[in-house]
């Protein structure tokens, strides 16, 4: 018999959800375990496309993720970018109307209405369908206690009518709006910038279809919008279109004008372009691949990030024109800005990040997912409205890399900076000398290449490794950072299962300023660090090669001629002397020289091993 626990007596007020009702995607977040979190049901990334598909047979409309695929098959049944029509009259949106397949008219209240398969829908009603889906997704992650109270975000440039339309949409969806907040304010809240006494913040928001930049002033936790400007027709879609044009031009002769105009073909082109674009954010090269079996279209092309950057240059420049405008509207210079916040999926494009950093002369905040910050900030506001405080440090990511000290004094980074927590990673290590039965591990935090320049978090030792030749034992070292930022490092020798473990709180005793100065040092010393690390690794390599070469040198000597012996002696002597060198190029030469000079020695030894194996003798017995 099973018992089910029912949470019947619950007097706690329901939490206030934070909803980012976006032009392309919507997200919902909630304050949980001391921080705002995006609500993601199992197997779902939390992004809910703000799109609706209306089946022809007047069945229930489909909202969210499934719509994109439907759009490929039946593009005429889908509605995208409804946010553009919120609180607007027909004449305000004449240009936008071309993107909607359904006839639009104005009702007696001056509101736009779309005739969708014989039923009239206002943008509020369409947005309500999306909000219902968003609430559904939230319910899927939370079994009990989830109410209908929300904080919802709107662009800073939304006027009263647009804000009212957003409120109405929520009401139609059965939700209670506790507060409407500006998207740039929400993004700043997500980064905890409300805790600044005073200062100015630039929020650069490049989403799927729109761009805006806002300059905010903060005074004792209160945000004021000093200026906001942007381009409601500039976003990730334009970057996709620039790439899709390449494929279009390559394919036009093969497919002909008629297919090229076909909306299903164009959708396929754009979806592949988006995939390629996203690939190029993480890699220097990506594949642009389109396969449409029904039309026997197969297309494949490699695109370099540099090619894509050339195509994107004019688009990025347009965003900077708006940034200049916003600064001038606020009566400020770029140097007056204290913090820069990036919002929107398209700010993952490396060239966009670089351009923004260069423009404002400071590194933008990128510690949180740029497409999640608005919803996360709305959840922070919801938490504050429901009486909560946020005395817990926002630590959504590992702020400094975590790793182990190597034999030569370098650092092996196991979990890299900015990895979202919780996270884990495993690296395999081995012994450095024969019959070594223990390994000492030093856990290091920081970005510099040498352990001495980083912070040591702790030491521990794995004992009981069975005696084996160097390099044979396999020790798996697992780094695990839990949701509270606690790090545990476990080392396990694979053949015996022998384990050792340490637990530390990596951020303990570190102020934000100290983290920042550690990061700054890693940029300032990047070249020196790289050289020092290379030198350290080479010294270890050289010492190992000298040791290995000397192990059977005396036995092999009778088979070597005098010149070779002199050559090897000289190379090994240079190897010994190199122990105190810190010049990577010189060390590299010494290392290469040992490798070259000891080649005949290696040949003799291998020959001897082969013969001894055949004679059933060991090398030592020869
Ligand atoms: P948002 O409206 O903030 O959800 O942003 C959506 C836009 O971000 C779309 O145009 C996506 O193609 C784009 N996007 C998402 N991830 C990436 C990425 N890794 N690199 C470039 N663009 C991206």
């Amino acid at each position: 018999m099973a018992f089910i626990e029912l949470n019947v007596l619950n007097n706690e007020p329901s939490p206030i959800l934070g909803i980012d009702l976006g032009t392309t995607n919507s997200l919902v977040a909630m304050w949980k375990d001391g921080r705002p979190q995006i609500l993601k049901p199992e197997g779902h990334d939390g992004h809910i496309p703000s799109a609706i598909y209306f089946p022809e047979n007047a069945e229930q409309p489909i909202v969210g993720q499934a719509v994109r695929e439907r759009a490929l098959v039946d593009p005429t049944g889908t509605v995208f970018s409804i946010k553009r029509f919120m609180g607007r009259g027909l004449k305000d949106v004449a240009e936008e109307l071309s993107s909607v397949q359904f006839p639009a008219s104005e009702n007696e209240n001056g509101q736009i209405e779309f005739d969708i398969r014989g039923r009239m829908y206002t943008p509020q009603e369409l947005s309500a369908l999306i909000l219902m889906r968003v609430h559904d997704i939230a319910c899927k992650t939370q079994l009990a206690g989830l109410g209908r109270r929300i904080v919802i975000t709107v662009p800073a440039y939304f006027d009263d009518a647009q804000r009212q339309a957003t409120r109405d949409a929520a009401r139609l969806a059965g939700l209670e709006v506790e507060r409407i907040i500006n998207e740039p304010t929400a993004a700043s809240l997500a980064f905890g910038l409300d805790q600044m006494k005073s200062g100015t913040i630039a929020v650069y928001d490049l989403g799927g279809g729109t761009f805006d930049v806002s300059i905010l002033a903060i005074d004792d936790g209160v945000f004021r919008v000093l200026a906001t400007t942007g381009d409601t027709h500039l976003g990730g879609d334009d970057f996709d279109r620039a790439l899709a044009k390449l494929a279009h031009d390559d394919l036009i002769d093969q497919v002909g004008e008629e297919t090229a105009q076909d909306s299903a073909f164009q959708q396929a082109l754009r979806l592949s372009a988006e995939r390629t674009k996203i690939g190029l954010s993480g890699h220097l090269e990506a594949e642009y691949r389109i396969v449409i079996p029904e039309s026997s279209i197969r297309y494949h092309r490699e695109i370099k990030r540099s090619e894509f950057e050339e195509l994107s240059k004019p688009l990025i420049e347009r965003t900077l024109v708006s940034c200049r405008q916003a600064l001038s509207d606020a009566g400020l210079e770029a140097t007056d800005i204290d913090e820069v916040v990036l919002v929107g999926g398209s700010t993952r494009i490396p060239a966009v990040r670089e351009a923004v950093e260069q423009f404002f002369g400071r590194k933008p905040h990128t510690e949180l997912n740029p497409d999640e910050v608005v919803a996360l900030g709305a959840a922070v506001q919801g938490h504050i409205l429901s009486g909560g405080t946020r005395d817990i440090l926002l630590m959504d990511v590992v702020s400094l890399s975590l790793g182990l000290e190597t034999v030569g004094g370098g650092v092996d980074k196991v979990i890299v900076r900015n990895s979202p927590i919780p996270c884990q990673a495993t690296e395999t290590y081995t012994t450095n000398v024969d019959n070594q039965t223990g390994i000492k591990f030093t856990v290091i935090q920081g970005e510099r290449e040498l352990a001495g320049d980083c912070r040591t978090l702790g030491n521990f030792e794995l004992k009981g490794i069975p005696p084996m030749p160097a390099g044979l034992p396999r020790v798996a070292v697992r780094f695990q950072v839990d949701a509270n930022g606690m790090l545990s490092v476990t080392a396990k020798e694979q053949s015996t299962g022998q384990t050792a473990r340490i637990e530390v709180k990596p951020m303990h005793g570190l102020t934000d300023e100290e983290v920042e100065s550690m990061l700054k040092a890693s940029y300032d010393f990047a070249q020196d660090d790289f050289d020092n690390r290379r030198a350290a690794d080479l010294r270890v390599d050289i010492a190992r090669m000298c040791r290995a070469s000397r192990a059977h040198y005396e036995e092999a000597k009778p088979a070597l001629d005098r010149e070779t012996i002199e050559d090897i002696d000289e190379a090994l002597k240079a190897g010994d002397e190199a122990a105190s060198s810190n010049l990577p190029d010189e060390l590299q030469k010494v290392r290469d020289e040992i490798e070259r000079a000891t080649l005949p020695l290696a040949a003799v030894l291998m020959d001897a091993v082969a013969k001894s194996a055949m004679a059933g003798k060991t090398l030592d017995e020869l």
Side-chain angles (χ1 to χ4, degrees), residues 39-227:
L39 298 182
K40 308 176 183 181
E42 192 84 14
H44 191 291
D45 68 0
H47 286 67
I48 304 146
S50 307
I52 312 173
Y53 173 74
F54 290 88
E56 228 170 327
N57 49 13
E59 279 171 19
Q60 286 294 313
I62 294 165
V63 184
Q65 222 134 30
V67 177
R68 280 193 148 200
E69 278 67 43
R70 295 289 184 115
L72 270 181
V73 186
D74 177 17
T76 59
T78 49
V79 183
F80 294 102
S81 301
I82 297 143
K83 190 168 172 179
R84 294 183 187 278
F85 304 103
M86 296 288 275
R88 314 301 299 273
L90 260 190
K91 58 181 184 320
D92 306 321
V93 289
E95 226 180 291
E96 266 95 355
L97 282 174
S98 59
S99 67
V100 184
Q101 333 273 343
F102 300 104
S105 54
E106 221 170 61
N107 65 16
E108 63 278 12
N109 302 324
Q111 285 180 334
I112 295 182
E113 281 187 328
F114 296 102
D115 180 351
I116 301 175
R117 309 230 194 260
R119 181 184 177 318
M120 303 306 280
Y121 288 90
T122 60
Q124 290 88 312
E125 287 172 305
L126 294 171
S127 293
L129 290 174
I130 296 170
L131 286 170
M132 281 185 220
R133 175 80 187 133
V134 168
H135 192 257
D136 257 12
I137 294 280
C139 291
K140 283 208 168 82
T141 63
Q142 293 296 116
L143 289 178
L146 195 72
R148 308 195 74 85
R149 300 196 296 158
I150 61 165
V151 166
I152 193 162
T153 60
V154 292
Y157 58 78
F158 258 28
D159 61 20
D160 282 347
Q162 291 168 300
R163 284 166 201 259
Q164 189 53 45
T166 307
R167 199 181 277 278
D168 291 343
R171 200 174 38 83
L172 287 171
L175 300 171
E176 249 174 78
V177 178
E178 295 289 335
R179 188 162 298 180
I180 293 186
I181 62 170
N182 289 324
E183 287 163 10
T185 302
S188 306
L189 277 168
F191 286 106
L193 300 184
D194 53 319
Q195 292 175 343
M196 264 205 294
K197 272 234 138 332
S198 67
T200 48
I201 307 165
V203 183
Y204 176 104
D205 180 348
L206 188 60
T210 59
F211 168 68
D212 48 272
V213 53
S214 305
I215 310 290
L216 309 181
I218 182 149
D219 257 314
D220 269 335
V222 179
F223 290 90
R224 206 155 34 95
V225 180
L226 297 181

Side-chain angles (χ1 to χ4, degrees), residues 591-607:
R591 187 205 166 280
D592 294 346
E593 193 51 25
I594 298 174
E595 193 168 59
R596 185 199 58 76
T598 55
L599 263 181
L601 170 63
V604 166
L605 290 174
M606 270 160 50
D607 199 32

Side-chain angles (χ1 to χ4, degrees), residues 24-25 207-208 236-237 240 274 277-278 281 344-346 348-349 371:
T24 320
N25 288 300
D237 300 349
D240 301 344
E274 185 181 17
K277 170 188 76 177
I278 290 174
S281 289
S346 301
R348 287 210 177 86
I349 298 173
D371 35 12

Side-chain angles (χ1 to χ4, degrees), residues 244-270 290 292 295 297:
K245 184 168 182 315
L246 279 188
H248 173 275
D249 292 350
D250 284 346
L251 277 167
I252 185 75
D253 287 341
Q254 183 193 333
V255 302
E257 237 352 290
E258 199 181 319
T259 307
Q261 292 304 326
D262 179 54
S263 52
F265 173 76
Q266 289 182 356
Q267 288 268 20
L269 226 62
R270 267 209 293 265
I290 302 163
I292 311 178
S295 330
I297 294 172

Side-chain angles (χ1 to χ4, degrees), residues 572-586:
L572 293 182
K573 187 161 159 263
D576 293 341
E577 285 166 3
S580 56
S581 165
N582 202 26
L583 302 170
D585 291 341
E586 213 164 83

Side-chain angles (χ1 to χ4, degrees), residues 6-28:
L6 286 177
N7 196 359
V8 184
L9 284 175
N10 187 356
N11 294 324
E12 295 241 319
S14 59
I16 300 178
L17 297 173
I19 296 184
D20 168 12
L21 178 62
T23 311
T24 320
N25 288 300
S26 296
L27 284 108
V28 50

